[in-house]
Amino acid sequence: MAGALRSRPVTVVGGGVAGLTAAIALRQRGADVTILERAPAITEVGAGLQLSPNATRVLDALGLMPALDAVSLPSQAVRLRDASGADVVRLDLARHRPRARFRLIHRARLIEILEHAARQAGVRIALGQAVDTPPDGTLAIGADGLHSRMRTALNGREVPFFTGQTAWRAVIADENAANAPEAQVFMGPGRHLVSYPLAGGLRNIVAVLETRDWQDEGWSRPDDPANLRAAFGRFGGPVPGWLAQVDQTHVWGLFRHEVAARWQDGRIVILGDAAHPTLPFMAQGACMAIEDAWTLAACLDHRPDQQAALLRYESLRKPRTTRIVAAANDNARNYHLTGPKRLAAHAALRIGGKVAPGAILSRFDWIYDFDPVTEAP
Ligand SMILES: Cc1cc2nc3c(=O)[nH]c(=O)nc-3n(C[C@H](O)[C@H](O)[C@H](O)COP(=O)(O)OP(=O)(O)OC[C@H]3O[C@@H](n4cnc5c(N)ncnc54)[C@H](O)[C@@H]3O)c2cc1C
């Protein structure tokens, strides 16, 4: 029986995708929610996000789909190409998954939708509040991202390792982008580039290079676009035209983190990147955060015993997020193959794409068909 959250005070640390979604889900079930956010304003970096049906089901259940549809594009396909631009395989989502809602959205638009919904629902948002130790008195939800203090409070200090991969991100103007709303992945030896359109005549670019150069893990270090152009200078198709337009880019190092060993202690609980930071190669970091948020609120609402509710949340979420993080780690290798392995893998994908395109997509049904909303909390 739901209802255990009614009037319960809850403090959420961090107002990113995880924290805002959790706050909305908790508030809709009657909790008295305060978000403590370090930044002086709720803002987002200029970059895109792919949202898959496992996450859009939650956003729909929270009543956010009309707002999302107004500022996102439906993603119709995932198109794998080699570095020259030649097609390897096109996975037609519109044809093989006609009812599944894949969306392409600017991160800032998603955050605006979530912040607006949270405030409208009556969530209090306190800005400029850097929280170093878990707040006392109430249930404390750690949604404080990659360098989470709440995770450290539960697990002690942990050291991630550099994967030997550096990534650039950029957004360019592209008036025609929305004519072909698909995510494209260009795969070259030791590097790959992902691009997809965003609403409003924009195009998102993320480019990953294997390199021994060590980079910071932050997202906000500007780099000279010439470095990006040089690293992907041999890529063909539309890539040179896109890169020529980049006048601002940021670079960061990709680090591997373990999924947190401890997610909760009966009073503090973590979700999103705080619990399971992932490499971006399955485009699931924000999607997992959105799933977590729903499940956490549902478990707390269905079990008056907070300890039992948090244990249930951890037992539902840890196996799934661990598996998705592992799949993202594997994808990095698949995209960057060299020599004969690369030829063989691309040939197999080309044949598979002709013979049984639906079967290639089915490999990821366990990610996309999952519905957190119907799972028993
Ligand atoms: C290149 C790239 C592409 C990606 N593409 C996708 C994609 O296509 N699809 C997808 O699903 N995911 C994608 N992701 C992953 C996704 O961006 C993250 O997983 C997601 O943003 C995690 O949300 P979060 O709320 O847990 O953390 P964050 O978004 O990092 O939010 C954490 C919040 O906590 C605040 N905070 C931090 N410390 C404190 C403190 N001490 N006190 C108070 N507040 C604090 C921060 O200011 C921030 O607002 C991508 C990531 C990268 C790097």
Side-chain angles (χ1 to χ4, degrees):
M1 254 274 290
L5 271 173
R6 207 152 298 144
S7 304
R8 284 244 308 269
V10 180
T11 305
V12 178
V13 178
V17 175
L20 288 166
T21 311
I24 297 165
L26 292 158
R27 182 71 198 127
Q28 287 189 357
R29 291 169 184 271
D32 179 11
V33 187
T34 304
I35 295 179
L36 304 177
E37 164 58 47
R38 180 177 60 186
I42 301 267
T43 52
E44 254 303 328
V45 294
L49 267 183
Q50 304 181 64
L51 294 176
S52 48
N54 45 314
T56 52
R57 283 181 195 108
V58 170
L59 299 175
D60 191 23
L62 294 174
L64 303 177
M65 228 35 217
L68 194 78
D69 279 340
V71 294
S72 65
L73 297 174
S75 180
Q76 292 180 348
V78 177
R79 192 169 161 197
L80 302 183
R81 304 173 74 171
D82 72 18
S84 73
D87 270 310
V88 174
V89 69
R90 184 173 182 278
L91 305 172
D92 193 331
L93 301 171
R95 178 155 165 235
H96 296 290
R97 298 287 182 280
R99 278 187 301 280
R101 286 173 293 188
F102 290 87
R103 296 288 183 270
L104 306 170
I105 188 168
H106 196 292
R107 297 175 66 95
R109 301 291 88 72
L110 177 62
I111 289 291
E112 280 162 15
I113 290 170
L114 295 173
E115 182 190 3
H116 179 73
R119 287 189 191 277
Q120 281 237 312
V123 171
R124 282 182 298 276
I125 303 180
L127 299 168
Q129 306 285 320
V131 180
D132 289 333
T133 51
D136 287 330
T138 67
L139 169 63
I141 297 185
D144 49 346
L146 202 55
H147 303 290
S148 168
R149 300 293 179 101
M150 300 303 118
R151 173 175 173 153
T152 306
L154 290 168
N155 292 275
R157 240 181 81 74
E158 298 158 287
V159 184
F161 71 89
F162 181 50
T163 61
Q165 293 167 327
T166 290
W168 288 270
R169 64 178 166 81
V171 174
I172 57 170
D174 184 348
E175 284 308 324
N176 299 319
N179 296 338
E182 54 189 22
Q184 302 191 52
V185 184
F186 297 81
M187 303 172 292
R191 66 205 71 197
H192 79 276
L193 183 146
V194 180
S195 180
Y196 50 86
L198 301 170
L202 299 174
R203 169 170 291 285
N204 187 61
I205 297 170
V206 176
V208 177
L209 172 71
E210 286 176 15
T211 166
R212 271 189 246 149
D213 272 356
W214 199 89
Q215 303 284 351
D216 287 339
E217 201 183 8
W219 265 58
S220 45
R221 190 172 127 178
D223 194 27
D224 184 342
N227 294 332
L228 167 60
R229 282 191 275 273
F232 290 81
R234 293 201 175 162
F235 276 43
V239 173
W242 293 339
L243 296 187
Q245 278 194 64
V246 174
D247 53 16
Q248 235 190 9
T249 187
H250 291 80
V251 69
W252 76 103
L254 296 179
F255 284 67
R256 277 265 286 274
H257 299 250
E258 297 299 329
V259 171
R262 268 186 103 188
W263 286 40
Q264 55 82 31
D265 68 356
R267 197 183 72 76
I268 308 166
V269 59
I270 50 177
L271 79 164
D273 277 7
H276 44 71
T278 178
L279 294 177
F281 307 134
M282 285 302 302
Q284 283 295 312
C287 293
M288 288 190 284
I290 291 168
E291 290 182 1
D292 289 346
W294 178 275
T295 303
L296 178 58
C299 289
L300 285 164
D301 203 28
H302 277 78
R303 287 166 200 253
D305 176 346
Q306 184 167 301
Q307 172 80 70
L310 297 183
L311 270 172
R312 175 72 179 155
Y313 157 74
E314 179 173 354
S315 73
L316 288 174
R317 297 303 303 156
K318 203 192 263 176
R320 175 169 168 82
T321 52
T322 301
R323 192 173 169 206
I324 293 176
V325 169
N329 294 341
D330 286 348
N331 246 5
R333 275 192 292 279
N334 297 339
Y335 286 160
H336 292 186
L337 296 174
T338 52
K341 273 194 186 155
R342 171 180 147 82
L343 293 176
H346 287 194
L349 278 171
R350 279 196 178 96
I351 293 166
K354 289 207 175 83
V355 179
I360 300 182
L361 265 179
S362 300
R363 280 177 47 211
F364 298 116
D365 282 351
W366 64 274
I367 297 181
Y368 304 136
D369 286 353
F370 176 67
D371 185 356
V373 177
T374 55
E375 188 180 47

